[in-house]
Amino acid sequence: MENGVRIHYRRPRKDVSVPKLVIFVHGFPDSCHLWTRYLNSDLNSQAQLVALDLPGFGESDNLPSYGPDDVLTTIHLTILALKKKYGSMHCTVVAHDWGGIITSRIAAQTEGLLTKFADINTKVPHFGHMINQRIERAGQLISAGPKDGFYKSWLASIKEEAGPVASQLYRSHYVRAHD
C-alpha cells in the first residue's frame, strides 16, 4: 500500500467475475474471520467479496502511529486499491461496531468512493458502558488499597481493570471528529 502498511484481507475460495465489490469491515476486538459465513455464502455469485483486518488486528500490520487520520487514511487507501484490483466502480461496505464508525466517517468525507454503506450494530454507548465499569472497578481497588501487604498483586489487579481501557482509548482516539 502507498503508506507501507500491509492490510490483510480474506476472499472466498471461489472467484467470480462480477463488477460489484462488497467489502466487510469488522469491529473491536474482532478480525476478518467475523465475516467467514458471508464469504462462503451465495453472495459470492453476486459480487466480489472481501473481508478486511483493520490495522493492528488479525494479520494486518500495526500503524506506525495512531493519529486522527492514520486509520482513516489507511482504510480509504485500501478501499481504493481493492476497487482498482477488482475493477469495480460499484463498491458496498458492510461494517460492524468500530469498523462502522471508521467507514461511516470515510463515507461521509469522500465523494463517489462507496456506492452503498451498511452499518451493523455500531454502538458507541456499549463501549462507554464497558469503560465506565472498568474505571469504576479500578477506582474501587485503588480506594481499598493493598490487602495484607500484597502491593504487587494489588497493582496487577488495577492494571488488569484499567489497562484495556487505556489501550483501547489510545488506539481508537482517531475516531473523534476534528476540523
Side-chain angles (χ1 to χ4, degrees):
M1 178 162 321
E2 289 178 33
N3 63 358
V5 176
R6 189 185 65 80
I7 297 297
H8 172 260
Y9 62 90
R10 293 186 64 218
R11 299 240 324 113
R13 289 187 185 102
K14 186 172 97 178
D15 266 344
V16 294
S17 296
V18 180
K20 294 180 182 178
L21 175 64
V22 176
I23 300 173
F24 296 97
V25 183
H26 68 84
F28 176 80
D30 293 310
S31 73
C32 64
H33 294 280
L34 173 73
W35 305 104
T36 299
R37 179 174 57 164
Y38 298 99
L39 294 179
N40 297 325
S41 73
D42 289 340
L43 291 173
N44 188 39
S45 64
Q46 300 170 34
Q48 302 282 339
L49 305 179
V50 175
L52 301 180
D53 273 334
L54 288 172
F57 291 87
E59 296 179 45
S60 288
D61 290 346
N62 280 313
L63 295 177
S65 66
Y66 283 87
D69 293 321
D70 297 323
V71 172
L72 296 170
T73 298
T74 300
I75 298 303
H76 179 222
L77 291 173
T78 301
I79 292 169
L80 284 172
L82 289 168
K83 284 179 73 170
K84 183 177 179 180
K85 179 176 182 169
Y86 294 107
S88 179
M89 296 302 292
H90 178 93
C91 180
T92 298
V93 168
V94 179
H96 173 257
D97 191 56
W98 280 103
I101 293 170
I102 294 164
T103 53
S104 65
R105 183 144 172 214
I106 291 169
Q109 292 180 333
T110 59
E111 190 173 321
L113 181 67
L114 306 179
T115 309
K116 294 181 182 177
F117 174 71
D119 188 2
I120 302 169
N121 200 28
T122 298
K123 294 195 262 179
V124 177
H126 171 71
F127 179 68
H129 179 69
M130 183 274 298
I131 288 174
N132 289 338
Q133 284 182 325
R134 285 189 171 267
I135 290 172
E136 184 178 329
R137 287 191 300 254
Q140 290 168 350
L141 288 166
I142 291 168
S143 295
K147 292 197 176 17
D148 300 323
F150 290 104
Y151 186 74
K152 285 184 180 180
S153 63
W154 175 67
L155 285 176
S157 296
I158 293 169
K159 183 179 177 184
E160 184 178 323
E161 288 297 335
V165 173
S167 173
Q168 181 57 32
L169 288 174
Y170 173 76
R171 295 175 88 191
S172 62
H173 72 277
Y174 61 85
V175 174
R176 288 179 281 165
H178 68 283
D179 293 324

